[in-house]
Amino acid sequence: MQNTVNQNIILTGFMGTGKSSVGRALAEHLGWLFLDMDALIEKREGRSVRRIFEEAGEATFRQLESDLCRELADWRGYVIATGGGTLVNPKNLATLARHHIVCLDCEPETLWERLAFADDRPMLDSADKKTRLLNLLQARQPAYARIQHHVDATRLSIDEVVDKILRMGE
Ligand code: S3P
């Protein structure tokens, strides 16, 4: 990978693609710090993402995400896991454009297996959660397609995904 410590490595991709697990392992491998955007927002707000959605609405959460993107744009040497919707907003993508951004992809059935029983994803709240997931995934494809680097994580272990990211551009 060509990146230097002047950049952050930023992981994006749909919910359930493994951004946080891969990010943590990648940071450990590189000896860099790991930052999970959702976790930092939750810590600063003193409430979970679900509660932010329920009490303040999605727009407030999206504003917190955008504010944090602007803050992170000047940081370097971090591996950062975004939320699955963060870089769907082209302004956030532009804010972080100078960093090495990698999108993790996963087949829909695998995402469903991972997310069917998760109750911490307010974007999937629906009487028909699977249809909601498939529709949201489809709606976001054009946004994820704008990311330069992709790894299909469907059949890979966390370490294998880390290895693919490290070998990018070799
Ligand atoms: C969201 C994904 C979540 C979290 C929030 C919204 C989304 O993060 O930011 O629930 O819009 O896709 P993960 O991708 O880490 O689950």
Side-chain angles (χ1 to χ4, degrees):
M1 204 177 54
Q2 298 296 312
N3 84 290
T4 69
V5 88
N6 282 327
Q7 288 180 306
N8 296 313
I9 299 174
I10 299 181
L11 302 180
T12 186
F14 201 76
M15 294 170 263
T17 51
K19 300 180 293 292
S20 299
S21 313
V22 168
R24 212 169 279 116
L26 179 60
E28 194 170 320
H29 183 95
L30 292 168
W32 291 17
L33 292 168
F34 171 67
L35 177 78
D36 185 309
M37 285 185 64
D38 282 338
L40 183 56
I41 288 172
E42 289 184 329
K43 190 167 170 218
R44 288 178 173 179
E45 284 289 299
R47 51 186 174 169
S48 66
V49 169
R50 169 166 288 291
R51 279 194 52 213
I52 298 171
F53 268 71
E54 287 170 358
E55 294 170 1
E58 183 183 350
T60 298
F61 175 73
R62 298 300 174 198
Q63 188 61 53
L64 292 167
E65 274 190 319
S66 296
D67 293 346
L68 185 51
C69 284
R70 276 193 292 280
E71 192 180 331
L72 300 179
D74 298 329
W75 295 19
R76 56 203 65 204
Y78 275 76
V79 177
I80 297 171
T82 65
T86 312
L87 299 190
V88 170
N89 179 343
K91 284 188 188 155
N92 294 344
L93 182 58
T95 302
L96 295 173
R98 76 170 187 88
H99 299 282
H100 185 85
I101 305 178
V102 181
C103 183
L104 304 186
D105 303 313
C106 236
E107 286 171 9
E109 277 305 320
T110 303
L111 293 177
W112 174 239
E113 280 165 24
R114 294 179 185 177
L115 295 167
F117 299 104
D119 60 3
D120 57 350
R121 304 305 209 291
M123 291 300 290
L124 298 180
D125 287 351
S126 168
D128 184 352
K129 191 169 170 179
K130 187 170 186 182
T131 301
R132 170 75 184 140
L133 184 156
L134 296 176
N135 288 343
L136 189 60
L137 184 62
Q138 193 176 25
R140 287 182 171 178
Q141 284 311 332
Y144 294 137
R146 286 195 288 268
I147 309 296
Q148 190 183 358
H149 304 285
H150 286 257
V151 175
D152 185 345
T154 309
R155 268 167 274 280
L156 300 183
S157 68
I158 291 169
D159 287 342
E160 286 169 334
V161 177
V162 167
D163 201 51
K164 288 226 172 204
I165 294 171
L166 292 170
R167 287 170 184 275
M168 274 174 179
E170 264 182 8

